[in-house]
Amino acid sequence: MTTYDPNPYDPNNVFAKILRGEIPNKTIYEDDLTLAFHDINPQAPVHALVIPKGAYVSMEDFSARASDAEIAALFRSVGKVAEMLGVTQDGWRILSNVGSNGGQEVPHLHIHVFGGKKLGPMLVKG
Ligand code: 5GP
C-alpha cells in the first residue's frame, strides 16, 4: 500500500501512470481536465474513479491550488459519469479518501463513484 504524503506530489503514483498511458484503464469519460475510469477492484456493482488530470494529491490540495475551470470540470465529470453509468435513478454515492485516517492509498486526488445496490451505512462503525 502506498503511504499518503501530501507534499510533494509523487509523479510515479499509479494514477499518474494511467494519465501518462503507462498503465491501461477502462475509460468511462475523458475531457481536457478530467479522466473517469472503472476501479480495478470494485467495491460495488458500479465503482468508478474520477480524477483531475492535474497533479493534485488531495481535496485540500486541489481546492487550494486548482483553477476554477479544473474544479468545475471535476464536479461536472462526476455528474456525467453517474448519468453514463445509470445510477442516478436509484441513487449513488461519492467518496474521497484523504490521508492516513481517510485510508487513501493512491496519492492523486480521486473521487469514488459507487452505485448499483443499496450502499449501506456511510461509515463502518468501530
Ligand atoms: P483510495 O483507497 O486511495 O481511496 O482508492 C484507491 C483506489 O484505486 C482503490 O479502490 C483501488 O482499487 C484503485 N486502484 C488502484 N490501482 C489501480 C489501477 O491500476 N487501476 C484502477 N483502475 N484502479 C486502481
Side-chain angles (χ1 to χ4, degrees):
M1 189 201 316
T2 309
T3 304
Y4 174 73
D5 180 358
N7 199 13
Y9 179 82
D10 172 11
N12 287 320
N13 78 74
V14 69
F15 294 166
K17 290 179 179 174
I18 284 175
L19 285 169
R20 289 195 297 268
E22 295 166 12
I23 295 176
N25 75 91
K26 292 187 179 169
T27 298
I28 300 160
Y29 172 78
E30 181 171 15
D31 58 31
D32 288 349
L33 297 173
T34 72
L35 177 69
F37 50 97
H38 292 282
D39 195 289
I40 203 168
N41 183 23
Q43 305 296 311
V46 169
H47 185 177
L49 298 166
V50 186
I51 66 174
K53 289 188 172 176
Y56 302 101
V57 176
S58 65
M59 190 60 81
E60 72 267 20
D61 184 21
F62 185 67
S63 61
R65 293 197 300 112
S67 67
D68 290 355
E70 289 176 295
I71 292 170
L74 185 68
F75 284 90
R76 289 195 196 285
S77 183
V78 168
K80 279 190 189 117
V81 165
E83 293 281 3
M84 290 171 74
L85 295 175
V87 296
T88 56
Q89 183 75 28
D90 291 337
W92 52 297
R93 180 175 291 166
I94 64 173
L95 174 75
S96 186
N97 296 316
V98 178
S100 176
N101 277 2
Q104 182 176 9
E105 292 177 21
V106 179
H108 180 114
L109 173 63
H110 48 285
I111 296 181
H112 295 261
V113 174
F114 298 107
K117 69 169 188 179
K118 290 214 179 292
L119 294 165
M122 186 165 58
L123 292 175
V124 176
K125 295 196 166 47

